Amino acid sequence: MGNYDKDTAFLGQKGPFFVILFFLLNAVYISTGLHSLYIVFVGASPSHHCRIADGNLSEEWLKASIPNEMVNGKLQPSQCWRYRLETVRSLCAQGYSPLEVNLTDITLEKCVDGWSYSTDIYHSTIVSEWDLVCDSEWRVPFATSTLYMGYLLGSLVSGQLSDRFGRRKVFFASLAAEALVMLAQSFSDSWLLFCVLYFFIGTVQISLYITAFVLGSEVLSKSLRVFFTTLGASLHYCIGYMMLPWIAFTVRDWRSLLRVLSGLTVVYIPLWWLIPESPRWLLSQGRVLESEAIVREAAKKNKVTAPEVIFNQSEVKEAASQNSKYSVLDVIRISDIRKTTFLCLLLWMAINIGYFGLSLNTTNLTGDPFLNCFLSAVTEVPAYIVSTFLLKSCPRRPVLSAFLIIGGGFLLLVQLIPESLQTLALALEMAGKFGFTMSFCVVYIYTAELYPTVLRNLGIGMCSSAARIGSITAPYVIFLGTFNKYLPYILMGSLTIASSIANIFLPETFGKVLPETLEQMQKCKRFIRRDKRTLEEGKGTVIVKEEKFDGYTAGNK
């Protein structure tokens, strides 16, 4: 297929075409930050207690009808039990005061008349509307997991659809579908329908994220590619994440919140005429004229002169006829690609278990939920900035291993902190999340650089599927803390350290051009390929001959 970067070098690195496209694609990531975590507020559980459906009880007996129970070392009114109402009625009718009665002798009963919910923070959530508390409390985390189940399906399907029909079509179809399904979700009349629609939101949401990532990786210049896949996409995701709690603070009804978030998507309609298809993908399909048209338009915007012939049509069509259609079987069939994929799957799964596990664990913190959500987003910003500047000048493999060791190592240290130093334990947990956030940032660009153009979207889609397994598992890892509060930290820390060791077997991609074909990816190995080896007499010196093609080295030292 030739070397796309060399063929389009005349465009420069930071012309108007690249800069405008950089900001347009990043703007889309603001929506992903807005939409990915709204369940924190939509599925929030307000303070509640059993409803006392008896207008004849005195105010004193109404308050005394709810028993107190110890929760996390604190005494608070029970959320799922009340004193037997018939007995309470009888005592009240006889003129007894709650102070004159041993309330602990009264039989307890469940909230047979429903619950009363506080509206101090949330006016309405799916919890208060459908009584997802006590025996039905499991339905809230299950609803959350349906989003990640949708991520799993979307990661698999979007890669194949994007590789077949094009990045741009799948990108805008996902954006439109997300807004429409979210709007439909706001009209849900049952928890089951909410979960079904949430599953489809997850499917199109991850499709949008991955396709925009691949589109930017393939169209942007080499100098902007690192900024886009690290500081650009991640930082704009954080911007949307930080905006979410303030919108939720203003709109405290869950149905209205979903409609506002869905309506904000209309600002992206003009992007249809501003964001082009990936010229790399068009070349992989043998559509040379369409690819050249986009490149010439880019040259016009950058105010440079394009050569009369940009791509060699015969070479492109011959390569496209051999490499245009690929599936998951192609990733599994070839040994070198299979090994790389297996290691990437392990990395993505471990990182997601740690990242989402720690993110979900922050909901157990006390304080204002809107401020807590905002601060959780803010803490990710320095991690993205640090990782971006490191990726500009540092090899991917050692950087990722270092971040994984930081994330897992601090989690393993939490169990060594005494109870009297909980502030230090919290600081270690936040330091661990800092490491996981940086790992998240690195693994995306590292994976994109490992796979060739003809399999890049499919490869990232498969890795993202493994990530979804990790995110689905994360809530249950945190649940292990009910048996031993240190068990989640030990499990997440150990898995992360193991993945950092596995990472050293991946090939290094720093300083290499993006591979275009399967052959280029296969030759991008960790070990040197020795095609000719001779020994100097008496010295035993090994002379290694390396094959090179299109500026891409066959063997890495």
Side-chain angles (χ1 to χ4, degrees):
M1 197 184 301
N3 190 313
Y4 178 86
D5 288 329
K6 278 189 174 182
D7 292 338
T8 59
F10 63 89
L11 292 175
Q13 292 294 314
K14 296 182 180 179
F17 172 80
F18 295 125
V19 174
I20 293 174
L21 186 61
F22 175 84
F23 285 108
L24 291 179
L25 289 173
N26 279 325
V28 175
Y29 280 106
I30 296 177
S31 74
T32 63
L34 277 172
H35 297 163
S36 62
L37 291 169
Y38 64 75
I39 191 65
V40 172
F41 304 107
V42 170
S45 181
S47 299
H48 57 276
H49 59 77
C50 293
R51 181 182 294 116
I52 309 298
D54 192 327
N56 296 324
L57 290 178
S58 64
E59 187 68 25
E60 190 178 21
W61 271 107
L62 284 174
K63 293 181 179 179
S65 297
I66 306 299
N68 291 322
E69 60 185 10
M70 193 68 67
V71 178
N72 294 327
K74 296 182 180 179
L75 197 64
Q76 66 181 38
S78 175
Q79 297 180 334
C80 301
W81 296 92
R82 70 183 187 184
Y83 291 118
R84 193 163 179 262
L85 188 57
E86 184 178 342
T87 305
V88 171
R89 284 192 188 121
S90 176
L91 292 171
C92 182
Q94 295 176 37
Y96 287 102
S97 166
L99 299 177
E100 301 172 337
V101 178
N102 186 359
L103 296 175
T104 57
D105 292 336
I106 302 176
T107 305
L108 296 178
E109 65 180 2
K110 293 185 177 181
C111 303
V112 294
D113 296 318
W115 290 261
S116 295
Y117 297 92
S118 170
T119 57
D120 293 340
I121 299 178
Y122 308 102
H123 296 166
S124 173
T125 69
I126 62 173
V127 173
S128 62
E129 182 160 340
W130 296 318
D131 289 334
L132 306 182
V133 293
C134 299
D135 291 342
S136 297
E137 191 174 8
W138 62 270
R139 299 190 179 196
V140 178
F142 182 84
T144 304
S145 68
T146 58
L147 177 73
Y148 300 125
M149 293 176 189
Y151 279 11
L152 180 59
L153 176 63
S155 300
L156 291 172
V157 175
S158 66
Q160 298 185 54
L161 291 177
S162 180
D163 283 338
R164 174 159 302 205
F165 298 107
R167 310 338 188 184
R168 184 170 175 269
K169 289 180 180 178
V170 175
F171 172 83
F172 284 103
S174 301
L175 185 62
E178 182 184 24
L180 293 175
V181 179
M182 190 181 300
L183 180 62
Q185 190 185 33
S186 70
F187 292 96
S188 301
D189 59 359
S190 68
W191 166 81
L192 181 59
L193 179 59
F194 180 93
C195 290
V196 171
L197 293 175
Y198 208 26
F199 173 83
F200 287 109
I201 288 175
T203 302
V204 295
Q205 189 176 102
I206 195 64
S207 174
L208 173 65
Y209 192 99
I210 294 175
T211 308
F213 179 86
V214 173
L215 183 59
S217 299
E218 293 182 348
V219 180
L220 292 173
S221 62
K222 186 176 180 179
S223 63
L224 287 177
R225 189 184 303 144
V226 172
F227 279 104
F228 170 73
T229 53
T230 54
L231 189 60
S234 302
L235 190 58
H236 285 77
Y237 173 88
C238 275
I239 292 174
Y241 188 3
M242 289 186 285
M243 291 171 58
L244 174 62
W246 301 115
I247 296 176
F249 177 81
T250 305
V251 185
R252 303 199 183 193
D253 172 74
W254 76 271
R255 295 184 185 273
S256 300
L257 176 60
L258 290 184
R259 290 163 191 167
V260 169
L261 294 177
S262 174
L264 291 175
T265 309
V266 299
V267 302
Y268 295 113
I269 293 177
L271 298 188
W272 173 262
W273 293 276
L274 300 175
I275 296 179
E277 180 56 270
S278 166
R280 289 181 188 266
W281 177 81
L282 290 171
L283 285 179
S284 71
Q285 304 298 301
R287 296 158 63 175
V288 182
L289 296 180
E290 295 176 64
S291 181
E292 283 199 353
I294 294 173
V295 173
R296 293 187 187 281
E297 181 64 23
K300 182 179 179 181
K301 292 181 179 179
N302 286 355
K303 298 181 179 180
V304 296
T305 302
E308 185 176 345
V309 177
I310 300 177
F311 306 114
N312 188 308
Q313 294 196 33
S314 59
E315 290 182 6
V316 170
K317 290 182 178 180
E318 181 182 355
S321 64
Q322 299 174 0
N323 299 296
S324 58
K325 307 299 179 185
Y326 293 96
S327 66
V328 177
L329 295 178
D330 295 286
V331 177
I332 301 174
R333 176 175 53 85
I334 304 173
S335 175
D336 295 283
I337 301 178
R338 183 170 64 247
K339 293 176 183 177
T340 298
T341 301
F342 172 77
L343 293 173
C344 288
L345 294 179
L346 177 61
L347 283 171
W348 283 63
M349 188 181 302
I351 292 171
N352 273 260
I353 289 177
Y355 176 84
F356 284 102
L358 294 180
S359 297
L360 292 173
N361 200 41
T362 58
T363 59
N364 298 323
L365 301 176
T366 58
D368 184 87
F370 304 102
L371 181 59
N372 288 342
C373 182
F374 176 75
L375 293 177
S376 178
V378 170
T379 56
E380 296 186 12
V381 174
Y384 292 132
I385 294 176
V386 171
S387 59
T388 297
F389 285 101
L390 287 178
L391 284 172
K392 287 290 291 181
S393 56
C394 298
R396 312 317 190 203
R397 186 171 54 195
V399 167
L400 180 56
S401 291
F403 291 164
L404 289 170
I405 292 173
I406 290 173
F410 279 120
L411 293 189
L412 292 176
L413 291 176
V414 170
Q415 59 183 317
L416 304 178
I417 305 302
E419 291 290 337
S420 58
L421 297 176
Q422 287 304 301
T423 302
L424 178 58
L426 179 61
L428 290 177
E429 185 171 341
M430 292 299 100
K433 187 181 180 184
F434 183 82
F436 281 112
T437 303
M438 291 192 294
S439 300
F440 226 135
C441 189
V442 175
V443 78
Y444 258 100
I445 186 171
Y446 191 20
T447 306
E449 292 175 344
L450 284 170
Y451 284 98
T453 300
V454 293
L455 278 178
R456 185 168 298 118
N457 218 46
L458 179 60
I460 293 180
M462 290 184 63
C463 293
S464 186
S465 298
R468 296 322 92 182
I469 296 175
S471 57
I472 292 171
T473 306
Y476 303 100
V477 172
I478 296 302
F479 179 73
L480 293 176
T482 59
F483 304 101
N484 185 316
K485 68 177 182 179
Y486 296 120
L487 194 55
Y489 299 108
I490 295 173
L491 183 59
M492 290 187 293
S494 301
L495 181 59
T496 306
I497 296 298
S499 67
S500 70
I501 297 174
N503 177 57
I504 65 176
F505 296 101
L506 284 171
E508 181 56 66
T509 61
F510 179 67
K512 309 293 184 180
V513 298
L514 285 177
E516 303 288 351
T517 65
L518 292 180
E519 289 73 19
Q520 290 178 342
M521 180 185 177
Q522 287 175 293
K523 294 182 180 180
C524 182
K525 300 176 182 177
R526 180 174 179 267
F527 300 102
I528 295 175
R529 178 181 176 182
R530 301 185 176 184
D531 297 307
K532 181 180 179 181
R533 182 165 63 180
T534 60
L535 297 178
E536 291 185 8
E537 291 185 7
K539 295 183 179 180
T541 302
V542 178
I543 301 175
V544 178
K545 178 182 179 182
E546 291 184 320
E547 288 186 350
K548 294 186 178 181
F549 49 90
D550 298 332
Y552 205 82
T553 305
N556 294 323
K557 291 185 179 180

